[in-house]
Each structure stands twice: as structure tokens, then as C-alpha cells.
């Protein structure tokens, strides 16, 4: 809203290695600047005014900017001195520098301003409208014509407009105007008029309106004029804010009654795809967005109901670019009320069939991946106000003017520009994680990255430090919708550990940094609880094993509904609810929560499930659905919350709040882990706690809206037995949502499986290591940062581990030795490397080739040929042999019979994941 009046994103996959994509479809590789966007979002150096730009036009590679300012200065850090520029500046489209054309728009009384600029079809004349009395001293009256070649006002063109001119549109022979005036040259012309484009003589065109005119455009065929403004009538016909009139007479051809009375039309633009309005308003029920209309009959084809006063629209090559401060696009199926988005792009038409109308209006096509940032700035504080496209030397430039003082976070006032080439901005770094719940499968997940001018990004997954990606995934994302992407490594071996890193690359080849390393050990047997949740069809599954903020990975099979942490909940709390290595998340009960990073609707059949542990006496929301993210939701239900006394409530809204709750004495704030499930479907609602049904209700419907899942907090206003706090204080684990009703047997099974002893993994770093070198037979290498293995001439590596005993009730299920090759050329080997027991004594400080220990003859395991590149390598070891040495200090050696040396990092190295490790998996007997 103005301050004062005046992609369900699709994921796509291409594979460069073994594995499978989760919920992805094959698509072509990304290209530079994701089509149909025509401009990068990288701001270019541009001279800037000391005030506000309200109007722009272009001709022959020159951009004209008008407004209320007195000088222009170089871009931040640029060379040059400030120059006088009295409400007008002409700039080179390709350099952003002022040209030699200097015009001063002045007035004897009040403050002069330029509010509208347009250029004649032959590019020879610039028309300027606003409030001014002279141009370079030549008398005019709020409208002027400038000879572009000589940069001089045309003295013969001076029709008298006694008030501000706010809008201009020109044909071959006619200049149409809109503004605050009531007469032109003494003739009644209320808010709209037409004058001869050469002489300035008033034309018969009459379209009298009762309130100011703010926008004028001529249809491509020249037969009609589109009028926009504050008005409620034109030529006596009731029509608010928008009208179509005959281009010759001004007779009304089309009226409109669908724009709210508290909204106005600020801008109109047209091309062969239709005509488009930008709207601004104030108060409840306001319309602040954009309308697309057909040229055939001037009817509405779509409506964008984002809130945040639209100041300008500009259709270009099938895309509608707009300037606004759009802060709430929930009615258009995009982001909820929150951050302001100032520069947007969307298709002018739907490629396929348009969606069905909602509230009588067809939603606009979704926003595209072009998203330079700005700020409110000065003046009215509404950011960008005007846009223009210029071309020079075969490069096109999008120019933007307005009130802003920042562009893409950098100081830049009033003017900026973007080019059709030269994309240099890299995507954000992916936040990755990896998990495995059964042998032979690792799910690598990451929150899709954000790039300001590319919505289609290419992700490369690197395993174990390899320089060659094991897989490539292409996925779509925009700033406000960044679904999780994932890839499943089906070559991962049971009992072995792996690391994964992910990069994002845009169409121009700009690549993000590598993600932080995601580590995982593949279990030797199926992990019963998470495997069953996945098998039972969860389409959101948050396990809270994440090690970095703010991303919460979705472990469901479909795997695209990640979570975002708010106010940094505590990570990796132990012990978790489920037996094994899984961890929980801690919430402070005052401000912390997690919400789903994917806007969706919830059907009439669903299940919500989570585990919790608390001793709070202030209650709070455990899980629920709401229509906002970080702000309190206005619509909120399908929720489970705790009362102050520790009772649990499951509720929906179906015209009124409908709830099922635990009994008066069934309280669960006893600081123990509890399992709670709420279901709703054709049979009504049911609430389960710790595997037991605690109540049902014959209610089969709930409020329908698009929103987000929330864990740990959101609005609870007006709900029965509302707790003191909306936010939950305690730990939450294993949250899942299903698009179906879990049966009582399935709920009980989940509760029971959580208590089943699960596999645990111990990673044991070498306590001592060294290698011997036949070429230096008396040298000890215990302090070296790297270790070597070769047959001829001989290198042997020795490793010592303090092997733990098996935890009570468990046995060793698998053992793996993990090493990492160094970064030197030739660190890999073409030979087989054997892992054998060391039967003699040795120490890192004294062992040399001359006094090397005795080795066993039966290998514990073998490494095949190992490629170059600093990457983690692992091999399974003989489980029985390692079982025999549990609870002791144990040594093993790496040997080879070949001539190609292997070089690996030692425990003394500072490289990431460098030290040799034993990975031991223990499980129930």
C-alpha cells in the first residue's frame, strides 16, 4: 500500500553419475539469464541525482530523466565532480554518464518538478510535463517540447497548462496529457487533454474527469486512448481509475467498476500482448498491484493482487517489468506479508491455460527470476517510480528511477541501470546435508540457492572431496520460493562413511562456493523408525539432525519441503526421541520456531506427527499450519498445542474452532519424550498420544488457504484453553506430515519402533601413525603430515586405534577404514593397497625401515585403484577380526606390491577430514 495518496517451482534433473533424483524431471541445462528475462540484476555504475526521479524517456542511446533535484554526482567511488542539473539530466545509456545536453526546468513560484517525459516517434522531439514555467529561460506552462539534436526548447510550443501535467503519450501528430489541470489554453479540459504534437494547439479530444489523471497510453492501432488516475467519472460516465476513450473525440468506449474506490491507477503501458496498469491505494481492501487487459475488447485477463503500491509497468518481449514495494503477494499465491520487493518481472500472458478465477479474478502469471533489490528511500518512501529501456551498441539497458538510496545493498540514489549482458553475480551457496536410513542409499539434500537473475540453476554434487561431480541436478528457485532439491546416491556401501559438497551455477557460468561438508555413515541395517515414516508416505519429515542454521532438511522420499529456523533454535540436542544417533531441536518458548520453506495448501485428509519433551508451564504450539512465515499468521489451524497445565489439544477451524484434547489429568510436561499424532479425514478427527487414542471428533473439514507448516510457535489467539505463550519451550524431534490418515495401528507402530534399539556409529581417529621409507632406512616419520604406501621401493604405513568396546546389548555390525588422499599430483595409485594387522610393536617416534614391525598375512580389507585428487577413500574391514579386538589398542598397516605410491594425510594434518578413521557400526544382537 502507498504511504500517501497523490513458480510451484519445478525441480529438474540431469545425471552425471550413479544415483537417482528425488521428485525431479529431466530438463535441458540452464542458459544465461533465465528466459524470458532480458536483463541481468547486476547494477551498473550510474550518475545519481540528489533528489527524486519521477520520469524517464530514451532516444538514440540517450536516457532522459526528470524529477525534483538540483544536481547529479558520480556513482559511489566514481570519478568526477558534482554537476548542476535542475530537475533534468540526460545520460549516456551505455556509460551512465551525463551528456552535454543541459536543461533547467524552473518556476517562479513554488517548486518546479518534471513528472512526465516521452519521445516522438521519429526520436527528434522530447516532450516534458510537470510543474514548471520555463526551460533554460524559455517561457512554457507545465508542458514543453525539446529539440533532441540541439537540446533546446521549442519556443513555438507553449500550450498553457495551469496545473501539473503528470502523464504523456504521443502519436505521429498528437500529444495526449493527463494531470491536475481543469483547462488548457483557457478551454475546458479537465484532467485529460490532447494537443497538436508540433504546434501545441488544443485538439477537440475531450475526456473530462472529476479527479486527477495520472496515466495515458495509446493502443497500438492508434484508435483508442487508455486513461488512468483517481477519477470516478469520465465525460459523465461512471468509471473509476481506468477508462478507454476514442483517440479522436475522447468519447468513452469502456468503463470499469472493478478497481476499489480507495485505489488509483498510477501507470499504464501497452504492447501487442495487451495493456497493463499499475495501481496504488490506501486503507482496507486496497488494490496495489497490476492488471493485464486484452486489446481486443479491453476486458481483464489477469490481476496481480500483491500489496505495495505499483508505480510503473513496462512490457518488453513478453515480460511485464514493474516497480513497486510489493510486500504481500499472498493473494497472488506467492509470498506473505513481510519483506518489500521493489523490482519484479512476470510474463504478460500465460503459456498454458489460465487458472480458474478466485473471488472473480484470474491470478496473474507467477513472478520470474529477476529481482534486483532497492529500498524505500526518500520522499514518500516508496522506492522505484519509473522504468525505461534504452539500447546502444547492440546492448539493451533497463533504467530505473525513483526515491531509492540503495540498489542491491549498495549506495545509489535515484537512478540505476541493468544490462542485457554481463551477468557476474553468482548464486548463493547451497546449504547441504546428507542422511542414510538403510544400506546402499544416501539422500543428499540442499536448500536451493538464489540468484537475482537466474531462476534455473545447475547444482553439482561432489563426493568424498573428489574434483569431479558424481551427479548434476538442475532446479528452479526464486527468492521467496526455494524448495529443497535432493539426489540419492545408490552406490553408497553399508558401513562406509561419505562426505558430500554441492555448488550452484547460473546460466552464465557464475558458480557459488562449495557448500559446507555434509557427512554420513551408511547403516549396516535398516533404521526401523525413519524407514517406516518414509514408507508410510510422509511428504514432510524433519529429523532435526542439521548442524547449521537456518536450514532444516526434509527426509521424506519426495524431499522438497525443507524448513527454515527462526531466531536460532538449539541444534543437535541429545538424546533425541528415537533410539540411535538422531538428534532433536531445542526451542526457547519466546521467539523460536521452524516454518516450511514451501507455500502449499493442505487437503481435507492429512496426519501431523511429532515428538516433544518439556517441563514448561506456559504451553505453546508444537505444530500447526498458518498463512505467514516469520510474522503471526492471520489464518491458523490444523494444529497441536500444549496448555499451561501440560494437556494436548488438536484443533481445526471450520467456521469455528473445533478441538480434541487429552483428559484433565493427561498431562505431558513431565520432561519425558512423548509422541503425539493428529489425523483428519472422512472419519473425522483423532488425537493420539504415545500410541493411544485420546479422543475423536466428527469434523471432516478445516479452513482452506495456502500457507506454511510451523513447529515450535505461531499464533494461537482465540483458541480454547489458550496457553500463556504461543511458543513452545522444550525439545521437538521427528516431525512428519502425511497427505493421508495414519491408522491407529500405524501410529502405535511408530511409537513402538522409536524405542527399538537402533544402530549407532562410532568414528575413531588414529591415535598414532607413521610410515617407513626404504630409501631413507633410518628415518622415522611419525611427525609427518602425510603417509605413503608402495611395494617397490617400499613404503608401509602404520595406524594405531583405541578401539571401543561394543555398547551393552549390541554387537559390531560393520567396520570401515577411511583415509583421505593428499592434494599432491600423483597422490592416487593404480595399485591395490591391502590393510593387514600389525603383529609386532612400533611407535611413531622410533619406527624406521630398519626396525619395522612384523605384519599379519591375512588382509583385513583392500583398497582398489585410487584416483588422484584429495578425496576420502574407504574400505570395509573383516568384521570378525575387528570384533576380536574391541576394547583394545589395535594396529593395522597399509601395504602394496606395486610401484605406484599412494599418499594420504596423517592425523597431524590440518586438512578437513584428513585423519585416518575407523568407522564402527554397532547394532542390537
Amino acid at each position: 500500500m502507498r504511504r500517501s495518496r497523490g513458480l510451484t517451482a519445478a525441480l529438474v534433473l540431469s545425471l552425471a553419475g550413479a544415483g537417482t533424483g528425488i521428485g525431479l524431471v529431466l530438463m535441458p541445462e540452464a542458459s544465461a539469464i533465465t528466459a524470458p528475462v532480458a536483463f541481468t540484476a547486476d547494477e551498473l555504475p550510474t550518475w545519481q541525482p540528489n533528489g527524486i526521479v519521477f520520469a524517464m524517456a530514451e532516444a538514440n542511446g540517450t536516457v532522459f530523466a526528470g524529477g525534483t533535484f538540483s544536481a547529479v554526482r558520480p556513482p559511489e567511488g566514481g570519478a568526477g565532480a558534482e554537476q548542476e542539473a535542475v530537475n533534468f539530466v540526460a545520460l549516456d545509456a551505455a556509460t551512465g554518464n551525463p551528456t552535454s545536453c543541459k536543461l533547467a526546468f524552473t518556476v517562479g513560484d513554488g517548486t518546479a518538478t518534471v513528472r512526465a517525459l516521452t519521445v516522438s516517434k521519429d526520436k527528434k522531439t522530447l516532450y516534458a510535463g510537470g510543474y514548471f514555467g520555463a526551460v533554460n529561460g524559455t517561457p512554457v506552462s507545465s508542458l514543453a517540447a525539446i529539440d533532441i539534436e540541439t537540446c533546446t526548447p521549442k519556443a513555438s510550443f507553449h500550450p498553457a497548462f495551469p496545473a501539473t501535467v503528470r502523464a504523456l503519450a504521443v502519436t505521429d501528430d498528437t500529444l495526449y496529457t493527463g494531470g491536475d489541470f481543469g483547462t488548457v489554453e483557457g478551454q475546458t479540459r479537465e484532467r485529460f487533454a490532447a494537443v497538436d504534437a508540433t504546434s501545441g494547439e488544443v485538439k477537440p479530444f475531450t475526456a473530462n474527469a472529476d479527479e486527477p489523471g495520472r496515466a495515458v497510453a495509446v493502443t497500438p492501432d492508434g484508435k483508442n486512448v487508455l486513461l488512468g488516475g483517481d477519477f470516478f467519472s469520465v465525460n459523465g460516465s461512471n468509471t473509476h481509475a481506468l477508462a478507454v476513450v476514442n483517440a479522436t473525440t475522447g468519447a468513452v468506449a469502456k468503463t470499469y467498476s472493478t478497481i476499489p474506490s480507495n485505489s488509483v491507477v498510477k501507470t499504464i503501458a501497452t504492447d501487442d500482448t495487451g495493456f497493463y496498469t499499475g495501481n496504488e491505494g490506501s486503507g482496507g481492501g486496497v488494490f496495489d498491484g497490476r492488471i493485464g487487459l486484452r486489446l481486443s475488447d479491453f476486458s481483464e485477463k489477469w490481476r496481480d493482487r500483491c500489496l505495495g503500491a505499483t508505480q510503473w509497468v513496462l512490457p518488453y518481449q513478453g515480460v511485464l517489468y514493474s516497480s513497486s514495494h510489493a510486500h504481500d503477494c499472498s493473494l497472488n499465491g506467492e509470498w506473505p506479508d513481510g519483506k518489500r520487493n521493489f523490482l519484479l518481472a512476470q510474463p504478460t500472458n500465460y503459456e498454458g491455460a489460465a487458472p480458474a478465477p478466485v473471488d472473480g479474478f484470474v491470478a496473474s502469471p507467477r513472478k520470474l527470476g529477476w529481482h534486483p533489490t532497492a529500498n524505500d528511500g526518500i520522499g514518500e518512501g516508496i522506492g522505484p517510480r519509473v522504468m525505461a529501456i534504452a539500447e546502444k551498441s547492440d546492448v539493451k539497458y533497463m533504467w530505473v528511477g525513483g526515491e531509492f538510496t540503495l540498489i542491491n545493498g549498495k549506495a545509489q540514489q535515484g537512478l540505476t541501470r541493468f544490462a542485457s549482458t554481463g551477468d557476474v553475480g553468482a548464486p548463493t551457496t547451497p546449504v547441504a546435508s546428507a542422511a542414510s536410513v538403510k544400506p546402499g542409499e544416501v539422500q543428499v539434500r540442499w536448500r536451493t540457492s538464489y540468484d537475482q537473475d537466474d531462476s534455473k540453476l545447475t547444482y553439482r554434487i561432489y563426493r568424498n572431496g573428489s574434483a569431479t561431480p558424481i551427479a548434476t541436478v538442475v532446479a528452479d528457485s526464486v527468492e521467496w520460493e526455494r524448495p529443497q532439491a535432493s539426489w540419492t546416491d545408490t552406490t553408497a556401501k553399508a558401513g562406509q562413511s561419505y562426505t558430500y559438497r554441492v555448488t550452484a551455477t547460473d546460466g552464465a557460468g557464475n558458480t557459488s562456493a562449495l557448500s559446507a561438508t555434509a557427512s554420513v555413515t551408511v547403516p549396516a541395517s535398516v533404521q526401523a523408525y525413519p524407514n517406516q515414516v518414509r514408507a508410510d508416505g510422509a511428504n514432510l519429515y524433519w529429523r532435526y539432525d542439521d548442524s547449521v542454521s537456518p536450514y532444516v532438511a526434509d527426509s521424506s522420499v519426495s524431499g522438497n519441503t525443507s524448513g527454515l529456523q527462526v531466531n536460532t533454535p538449539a541444534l543437535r540436542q541429545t538424546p533425541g526421541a528415537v533410539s540411535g544417533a538422531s538428534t532433536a531441536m531445542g526451542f526457547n518458548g519466546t521467539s523460536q520456531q521452524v516454518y516450511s520453506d514451501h507455500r502449499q495448501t493442505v487437503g481435507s485428509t492429512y496426519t501431523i506427527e511429532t515428538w516433544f519433551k518439556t517441563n514448561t508451564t506456559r504451553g505453546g504450539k508444537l505444530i500447526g499450519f498458518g498463512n505467514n512465515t516469520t510474522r503471526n499468521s492471520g489464518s491458523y489451524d490444523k494444529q497441536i498445542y500444549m496448555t499451561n497445565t501440560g494437556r494436548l489439544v488438536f484443533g481445526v477451524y471450520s467456521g469455528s474452532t473445533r478441538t480434541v484434547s487429552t483428559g484433565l489429568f493427561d498431562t505431558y510436561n513431565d520432561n519425558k519424550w512423548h509422541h503425539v499424532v493428529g489425523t483428519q479425514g472422512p472419519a473425522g478427527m483423532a488425537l493420539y498420544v504415545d500410541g493411544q487414542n485420546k479422543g475423536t471428533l466428527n469434523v471432516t473439514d478445516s479452513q482452506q488457504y495456502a500457507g506454511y507448516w510451523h513447529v515450535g510457535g505461531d499464533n494461537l489467539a482465540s483458541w480454547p484453553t489458550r496457553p500463556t505463550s504461543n511458543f513452545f519451550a522444550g525439545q521437538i524431534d521427528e516431525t512428519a506430515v502425511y497427505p493421508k490418515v495414519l491408522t491407529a495401528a500405524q501410529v502405535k507402530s511408530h511409537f513402538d519402533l522409536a524405542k527399538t534399539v537402533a544402530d549407532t556409529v562410532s568414528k575413531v581417529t588414529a591415535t598414532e601413525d607413521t610410515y617407513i621409507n626404504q630409501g631413507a632406512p633410518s628415518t622415522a616419520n611419525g611427525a609427518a603430515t602425510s603417509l605413503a604406501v608402495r611395494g617397490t621401493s617400499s613404503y608401509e604405513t602404520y595406524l594405531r586405534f583405541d578401539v571401543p568396546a561394543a555398547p551393552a546389548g549390541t554387537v559390531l555390525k560393520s567396520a570401515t577404514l577411511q583415509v583421505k588422499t593428499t592434494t599432491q599430483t600423483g597422490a592416487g595409485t593404480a595399485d591395490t593397497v591391502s590393510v593387514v594387522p600389525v603383529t609386532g610393536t612400533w611407535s611413531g617416534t622410533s619406527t624406521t625401515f630398519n626396525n619395522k614391525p612384523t605384519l599379519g598375512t591375512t588382509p583385513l580389507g583392500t583398497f582398489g585403484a585410487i584416483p588422484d585428487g584429495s578425496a576420502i577413500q574407504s574400505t570395509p574391514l573383516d568384521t570378525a577380526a575387528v570384533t576380536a579386538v574391541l576394547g583394545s589398542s589395535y594396529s593395522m598397516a597399509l601395504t602394496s606390491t606395486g610401484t605406484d605410491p599412494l599418499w594420504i594425510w596423517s592425523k597431524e594434518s590440518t586438512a578437513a577430514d584428513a585423519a585416518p578413521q575407523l568407522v564402527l557400526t554397532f547394532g542390537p544382537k
Side-chain angles (χ1 to χ4, degrees):
M1 290 179 282
R2 62 175 179 169
R3 293 189 172 183
S4 62
R5 185 166 176 175
L7 312 153
T8 306
L11 300 179
V12 292
L13 168 70
S14 64
L15 291 180
T20 59
I22 302 298
L24 309 181
V25 183
L26 291 173
M27 288 287 284
E29 288 288 327
S31 58
I33 310 175
T34 304
V37 170
F39 303 95
T40 81
D42 302 317
E43 78 287 350
L44 297 173
T46 308
W47 278 58
Q48 52 194 319
N50 61 353
I52 300 170
V53 172
F54 290 103
M56 287 199 297
E58 68 82 27
N60 309 316
T62 298
V63 172
F64 307 105
T68 307
F69 49 87
S70 61
V72 292
R73 64 187 186 275
E76 299 299 313
E82 184 175 271
Q83 299 180 13
E84 183 180 62
V86 184
N87 302 313
F88 176 88
V89 63
L91 304 110
D92 184 284
T95 67
N97 299 332
T99 70
S100 59
C101 178
K102 311 292 182 184
L103 297 172
F105 288 76
T106 57
V107 68
D109 183 24
T111 301
T113 185
V114 175
R115 292 299 178 114
L117 293 169
T118 195
V119 171
S120 61
K121 301 300 182 184
D122 61 9
K123 302 293 186 180
K124 293 182 177 180
T125 303
L126 170 68
Y127 297 96
Y131 180 70
F132 45 83
V135 181
N136 284 1
T138 298
V140 291
S141 183
S142 294
L143 183 67
I146 313 297
D147 180 76
I148 292 176
E149 183 177 6
T150 63
C151 187
T152 56
K154 296 182 177 182
S156 61
F157 185 93
H158 50 73
F161 283 77
T164 303
V165 174
R166 300 182 180 275
L168 297 172
V170 66
T171 63
D172 290 335
D173 57 5
T174 303
L175 179 66
Y176 296 93
T177 64
D180 300 348
F181 50 85
T183 63
V184 179
E185 287 289 319
Q187 300 181 47
T188 299
R189 295 289 188 274
E190 296 177 347
R191 282 83 187 193
F192 296 99
V195 299
D196 186 276
T198 302
S199 67
E201 179 181 354
V202 180
K203 289 203 166 188
F205 175 91
T206 302
N208 292 330
D210 59 337
E211 294 282 350
R214 298 182 181 272
V216 182
V218 181
T219 56
D221 62 10
K223 295 180 180 180
N224 293 282
V225 177
L226 314 168
L227 308 180
D230 300 24
F231 52 81
F232 290 86
S233 70
V234 174
N235 288 342
S237 297
N238 292 330
T239 185
H240 176 52
L242 182 64
V244 181
V245 299
N246 181 273
T248 302
T249 66
V252 175
K254 176 75 173 180
T255 62
Y256 296 87
S257 60
T258 58
I259 297 175
S261 61
N262 56 354
S263 296
V264 304
V265 169
K266 293 294 295 288
T267 175
I268 300 176
T270 184
D271 68 0
D272 290 341
T273 67
F275 75 96
Y276 305 90
T277 73
N279 303 266
E280 174 185 89
S282 59
V286 68
F287 174 57
D288 263 352
R290 292 155 290 282
I291 303 176
L293 301 105
R294 301 175 182 88
L295 288 169
S296 57
D297 59 1
F298 309 121
S299 62
E300 184 170 322
K301 57 182 179 179
W302 54 254
R303 181 172 293 212
D304 186 319
R305 292 192 285 171
C306 293
L307 295 177
T310 303
Q311 302 299 310
W312 201 259
V313 291
L314 178 55
Y316 180 70
Q317 294 184 351
V319 174
L320 184 68
Y321 298 89
S322 60
S323 61
S324 68
H325 56 261
H327 58 86
D328 184 353
C329 285
S330 53
L331 289 175
N332 211 54
E334 292 165 316
W335 62 91
D337 194 13
K339 175 186 174 184
R340 291 187 165 202
N341 298 277
F342 294 92
L343 295 168
L344 300 171
Q346 60 200 124
T348 53
N349 291 324
Y350 288 98
E351 291 185 5
V358 177
D359 299 331
F361 302 109
V362 174
S364 67
R366 293 177 65 80
K367 308 298 185 298
L368 298 169
W370 184 75
H371 193 248
T373 63
N375 68 338
D376 292 345
I378 60 177
E380 291 183 65
I382 53 178
R385 281 188 170 273
V386 62
M387 312 173 85
I389 293 173
E391 182 175 356
K392 191 169 185 180
S393 302
D394 296 324
V395 177
K396 299 177 179 63
Y397 299 90
M398 168 67 78
W399 280 72
V400 180
E403 302 181 355
F404 52 84
T405 58
L406 294 174
I407 290 293
N408 290 336
K410 303 173 185 176
Q412 177 69 25
Q413 181 173 344
L415 281 170
T416 192
R417 62 199 175 97
F418 310 93
S420 58
T421 61
D423 180 12
V424 297
T428 60
T429 302
V431 181
S433 66
S436 178
V437 300
K438 60 184 178 181
E441 181 177 296
V442 172
Q443 185 189 42
V444 185
R445 305 80 55 96
W446 61 95
R447 186 188 186 207
T448 47
S449 298
Y450 164 52
D451 188 271
Q452 287 186 299
D453 43 34
D454 286 281
S455 57
K456 189 180 297 299
L457 301 176
T458 299
Y459 299 89
R460 292 179 174 86
I461 301 102
Y462 298 86
R463 187 173 75 174
N464 288 351
S466 172
T468 302
I470 191 173
T472 300
V473 172
V474 179
D476 281 3
S477 58
V478 288
E479 198 263 353
W480 49 87
E481 189 167 66
R482 295 166 59 182
Q484 176 176 292
S486 58
W487 173 79
T488 299
D489 185 354
T490 56
T491 66
K493 297 179 181 178
Q496 296 195 25
S497 292
Y498 297 88
T499 64
Y500 300 87
R501 302 183 79 180
V502 182
T503 63
T505 302
D506 68 12
N510 302 305
T511 299
S512 73
L514 281 161
S515 70
T517 299
S519 301
V520 64
T521 299
V522 182
S525 58
V526 172
Q527 294 181 353
Y529 183 90
N531 188 65
Q532 194 61 50
V533 170
R534 289 161 56 91
D536 283 341
N539 59 3
L540 179 156
Y541 184 22
W542 296 342
R543 304 204 68 202
Y544 307 110
D545 295 333
D546 312 279
S547 57
V548 294
S549 296
Y551 170 71
V552 176
D554 181 2
S555 294
S556 68
V557 174
S558 55
N560 73 342
T561 309
S562 55
L564 287 181
Q565 303 161 28
V566 179
N567 294 322
T568 59
L571 305 182
R572 301 190 64 79
Q573 302 287 286
T574 57
V578 175
S579 175
S582 182
T583 61
M585 183 172 284
F587 297 84
N588 63 8
T590 58
S591 63
Q592 295 171 340
Q593 62 161 307
V594 174
Y595 67 87
S596 58
D597 192 21
H598 178 56
R599 194 170 188 265
Q600 59 189 281
T601 56
V602 179
S604 58
T605 300
Y606 61 91
T607 296
I608 52 179
E609 173 183 40
T610 199
W611 288 78
F612 67 92
K613 183 172 73 171
T614 185
N615 60 1
T616 184
T617 57
R618 291 168 47 85
K621 183 175 292 192
L622 289 165
I623 179 173
F625 194 70
N627 69 343
N628 213 310
T629 53
T630 58
R631 300 186 180 188
N632 262 353
S633 294
S635 295
Y636 44 98
D637 73 336
K638 294 174 275 293
Q639 60 192 11
I640 298 172
Y641 59 94
M642 177 175 279
T643 69
N644 288 348
T645 61
R647 297 173 65 193
L648 295 173
V649 181
F650 169 45
V652 300
Y653 184 84
S654 60
S656 61
T657 57
R658 307 299 299 274
T659 62
V660 183
S661 60
T662 59
L664 186 62
F665 300 105
D666 286 338
T667 58
Y668 300 94
N669 54 349
D670 55 4
N671 219 25
K672 297 178 181 178
W673 279 110
H674 295 284
H675 177 233
V676 60
V677 176
T679 70
Q680 186 178 30
M685 300 168 60
L687 172 64
Y688 300 86
V689 181
D690 294 341
Q692 302 298 313
N693 189 316
K694 294 294 182 179
T696 60
L697 187 65
N698 187 24
V699 174
T700 59
D701 59 339
S702 60
Q703 188 176 3
Q704 293 299 300
Y705 55 92
Y708 310 83
W709 288 107
H710 292 255
V711 168
D714 194 16
N715 206 350
L716 284 170
S718 302
W719 279 74
T721 56
R722 180 190 180 187
T724 301
S725 176
N726 289 340
F727 294 91
F728 176 78
Q731 294 178 331
I732 295 178
D733 200 4
E734 303 292 333
T735 300
V737 177
Y738 306 78
K740 66 179 186 179
V741 172
L742 291 185
T743 66
Q746 287 174 310
V747 172
K748 182 62 164 57
S749 171
H750 289 195
F751 176 70
D752 292 339
L753 285 173
K755 305 308 176 185
T756 302
V757 176
D759 291 354
T760 60
V761 176
S762 293
K763 293 185 178 182
V764 184
T765 300
T767 57
E768 193 169 13
D769 54 27
T770 191
Y771 76 98
I772 57 93
N773 178 3
Q774 187 176 13
S778 60
T779 301
N781 298 296
T785 59
S786 60
L787 307 167
V789 182
R790 183 172 58 192
T792 307
S793 58
S794 179
Y795 295 141
E796 289 179 357
T797 283
Y798 310 127
L799 308 172
R800 179 176 286 116
F801 297 93
D802 287 339
V803 185
T810 69
V811 295
L812 182 67
K813 289 194 168 183
S814 68
T816 299
L817 176 63
Q818 175 180 299
V819 297
K820 186 177 184 180
T821 50
T822 69
T823 53
Q824 71 184 68
T825 302
T829 181
D831 301 326
T832 297
V833 174
S834 296
V835 183
V836 296
V838 177
T839 59
T841 60
W842 65 277
S843 73
T845 58
S846 61
T847 296
T848 68
F849 181 81
N850 289 335
N851 63 352
K852 61 182 180 179
T854 304
L855 305 183
T857 57
T858 303
L860 300 169
T862 58
F863 290 94
I866 294 175
D868 280 356
S870 184
I872 293 173
Q873 308 293 331
S874 59
T875 183
L877 302 180
D878 184 282
T879 305
V882 179
T883 297
V885 298
L886 292 177
S888 69
S889 179
Y890 184 63
S891 295
M892 58 187 70
L894 301 182
T895 67
S896 173
T897 60
T899 59
D900 187 11
L902 169 70
W903 289 92
I904 61 175
W905 294 118
S906 75
K907 73 179 186 65
E908 284 77 19
S909 171
T910 58
D913 305 306
Q917 288 186 326
L918 273 183
V919 182
L920 307 175
T921 301
F922 298 98
K925 293 181 180 180

